[in-house]
Amino acid sequence: MPDQEPRGPGYLPEPQVEAMFDRIAGVYDRLNSVMTAGLHHRWRRRAADLAAVSPGDRVLDVATGTGDLALELLRRVGPSGQVVGADFSQGMLELARVKDPSGAIRWEQANALALPYADGEFAAVTVGFGVRNFSDLDRGLAEMARVVRPGGKVVILEITTPQRPPLSSFFKLWFDKIVPLLGRVGGDSEAYSYLPDSVRRFPGPAELAGRMAAVGLKDVRYVLTAGGIIALHVGTVGK
């Protein structure tokens, strides 16, 4: 896929990012819980709430990873609905399937920049902690909007960089020093050095909202939580 994002420090081409997530799949959930003190589950619940789906709806979770956000969506659409969890990493999808022994969710390998779904196929699309890994952000946003029916939601849950001390100072220490150290302990220092680099490269909340609007999403809004470390964005596909 073409890469139109700036190639700053720590940039990895898409095939290397895919291979990296395959490598770290086994420690991904454990390190997520350590790095967020377990709060990532709460943030995913908020993202699922913003999707505003109902029982019977069909919903897509892009860059689903090990599937936690997809499972939250399943609780909202119920047995009469359907959730598709898509990711380009087979290693991540294998772990997601373990969390879903009943096979209630369709786990599919797919690239977020070329989603293999029809226009307007879903009531909502979500992405949790994955959009900053898109090698072409605008193309990924456009693809998510394309597959949502008019009036449906596109929801993005992502890490962002707090701007005010003391949290900004703590964030810098945590992401620049402690997260790479956790990666070394987990056996993949490259992956957990990539994480802070990817956060630094990613647009701030206001810019991301503008780029969502630029691909045609309406009523785009966002909320910051966890002291400004986490941003939840939501936009509506125009009718």
Side-chain angles (χ1 to χ4, degrees):
M1 295 294 172
D3 173 25
Q4 297 177 3
E5 294 297 305
R7 298 190 178 199
Y11 167 82
L12 290 177
E14 187 176 285
Q16 290 186 37
V17 175
E18 180 180 350
M20 180 188 70
F21 279 106
D22 282 340
R23 289 198 314 271
I24 67 171
V27 299
Y28 181 82
D29 282 344
R30 192 158 57 250
L31 288 181
N32 259 4
S33 292
V34 170
M35 288 188 296
T36 68
L39 293 173
H40 63 102
H41 294 297
R42 179 186 301 177
W43 302 330
R44 285 185 171 91
R45 286 194 293 271
R46 291 189 68 178
D49 288 341
L50 288 172
V53 293
S54 302
D57 280 340
R58 191 160 189 258
V59 189
L60 172 66
D61 185 42
V62 175
T64 196
T66 61
D68 286 339
L69 183 47
L71 290 163
E72 286 294 337
L73 293 166
L74 181 64
R75 295 184 182 99
R76 288 155 177 79
V77 303
S80 61
Q82 185 181 62
V83 177
V84 178
D87 201 286
F88 65 0
S89 167
Q90 282 287 12
M92 291 288 188
L93 290 172
E94 287 171 10
L95 291 175
R97 292 185 181 102
V98 172
K99 296 180 180 179
D100 177 35
S102 67
I105 296 173
R106 281 180 51 187
W107 305 105
E108 299 181 343
Q109 187 173 33
N111 190 311
L113 305 189
L115 293 171
Y117 309 111
D119 295 359
E121 189 170 334
F122 298 97
V125 172
T126 61
V127 56
F129 304 117
V131 74
R132 72 179 184 280
N133 299 312
F134 292 179
S135 61
D136 184 333
L137 174 60
D138 297 324
R139 181 170 174 176
L141 294 174
E143 276 291 275
M144 288 193 293
R146 178 185 66 79
V147 300
V148 175
R149 70 191 185 198
K153 306 294 185 185
V154 172
V155 178
I156 298 172
L157 164 64
E158 194 51 89
I159 302 169
T160 190
T161 304
Q163 301 300 313
R164 296 182 179 179
L167 194 58
S168 57
S169 300
F170 170 77
F171 183 86
K172 182 175 175 60
L173 171 66
W174 180 255
F175 265 74
D176 288 352
K177 304 295 184 182
I178 298 175
V179 167
L181 177 61
L182 289 172
R184 285 196 292 274
V185 172
D188 199 315
S189 58
E190 179 189 37
Y192 286 89
S193 296
Y194 165 84
L195 172 61
D197 287 337
S198 68
V199 173
R200 278 191 292 267
R201 287 195 308 271
F202 195 66
E207 182 183 345
L208 178 58
R211 291 172 78 161
M212 291 173 70
V215 301
L217 291 167
K218 309 297 183 184
D219 303 319
V220 178
R221 58 189 176 89
Y222 64 89
V223 60
L224 301 179
T225 189
I229 291 175
I230 297 298
L232 293 118
H233 286 71
V234 58
T236 303
V237 173
K239 296 183 179 180

